[in-house]
Amino acid sequence: MFPEAAAAAAAPASGNSAARTAPAQAARPHPPRDPVVLGSGNLGLVSFPDLPGRASREEIERHHPALLRTLAEHPGIGFLLVRSAAHGPVVLGRGGAEHRLDSGEGAENSPLGAFGPGAAEAVRRTAGFPHAADIMVNSACDPATGAVHAFEEQIGSHGGLGGEQNRPFLLWPRELTPPTADGCELVGAERVHEVLRRWLDEAAARPETAPPPADPPPAEELAAGRVP
């Protein structure tokens, strides 16, 4: 399109023509938007821009009746996390498994059982984030090898549950205090941040120890200009 024609097409209509077209444009509905799907390691995040706020399980099933059950039954999926308007955070798995995290109902057959101790606490914490995705999809984990299925093109992954990422560690100088009391675990980035801040305060309070002075270079090397 030539610039003149483009300018004419972009210019507002005049007179009655503008009056006739404005109401029609205002009344025209917006086309539906596709779901937003993101991958973070072996964690998938699905959001529905057309549904206001965080979509509940009931809303998702009303608009997409087969979606949750199809995802939960996929062999590469370990569990789904959704928010139910009636029951709060709910974990869904294969074979109709359903674990209601607030009440504990369904915990005996929870899909989280394959992801080790502390999985329910970690998932419930995630469900409480104000900007959690409408559907959070965690991949399956091979019980024999600990391998997970990354939703990105990576050899290793982190972001979800399962495999070696379930065993993080902190390494610190022995001069600083341990991160927690014996037998306690750190759960969540907030707790790790508290430990790191404490270590910074402890390190700042320690007297500075300057390194011993280096021996002067030999005179012949200085004379030859081999020492900067």
Side-chain angles (χ1 to χ4, degrees):
M1 183 181 292
F2 293 105
E4 295 82 358
S14 60
N16 293 336
S17 175
R20 287 194 302 269
T21 58
Q25 292 174 351
R28 184 181 303 163
H30 294 289
R33 291 175 290 180
D34 292 333
V36 176
V37 182
L38 301 174
S40 175
N42 71 317
L43 180 67
L45 303 97
V46 183
S47 295
F48 299 93
D50 285 339
L51 300 180
R54 185 179 179 189
S56 68
R57 173 189 183 179
E58 292 81 358
E59 289 177 301
I60 296 171
E61 290 182 331
R62 184 163 56 250
H63 288 84
H64 308 280
L67 177 60
L68 295 179
R69 186 45 52 197
T70 300
L71 286 174
E73 295 295 340
H74 192 285
I77 301 300
F79 65 88
L80 311 179
L81 171 64
V82 293
R83 180 187 62 84
S84 168
H87 305 290
V90 177
V91 170
L92 306 176
R94 286 192 290 276
E98 181 174 322
H99 181 183
R100 298 174 180 174
L101 297 177
D102 281 351
S103 66
E105 183 179 353
E108 63 279 2
N109 297 314
S110 175
L112 299 177
F115 293 89
E121 180 182 358
V123 173
R124 186 177 182 184
R125 170 180 172 272
T126 300
F129 292 163
H131 301 296
D134 297 335
I135 308 174
M136 305 195 76
V137 185
N138 200 98
S139 86
C141 178
D142 189 317
T145 65
V148 296
H149 306 293
F151 297 133
E152 303 172 282
E153 295 182 0
Q154 298 176 346
I155 297 176
S157 68
H158 66 91
L161 286 177
E164 294 181 355
Q165 63 185 338
N166 280 14
R167 297 183 293 276
F169 63 91
L170 289 175
L171 186 66
W172 72 97
R174 65 179 60 187
E175 293 82 6
L176 301 179
T177 58
T180 65
D182 292 343
C184 297
E185 293 185 349
L186 288 175
V187 177
E190 304 93 334
R191 296 284 308 283
V192 175
H193 176 74
E194 292 172 0
V195 173
L196 297 179
R197 290 297 309 177
R198 188 182 78 231
W199 284 345
L200 283 175
D201 293 340
E202 292 177 5
R206 292 175 55 83
E208 294 187 7
T209 55
D215 294 333
E220 58 271 17
E221 291 190 11
L222 287 173
R226 292 196 295 265
V227 177

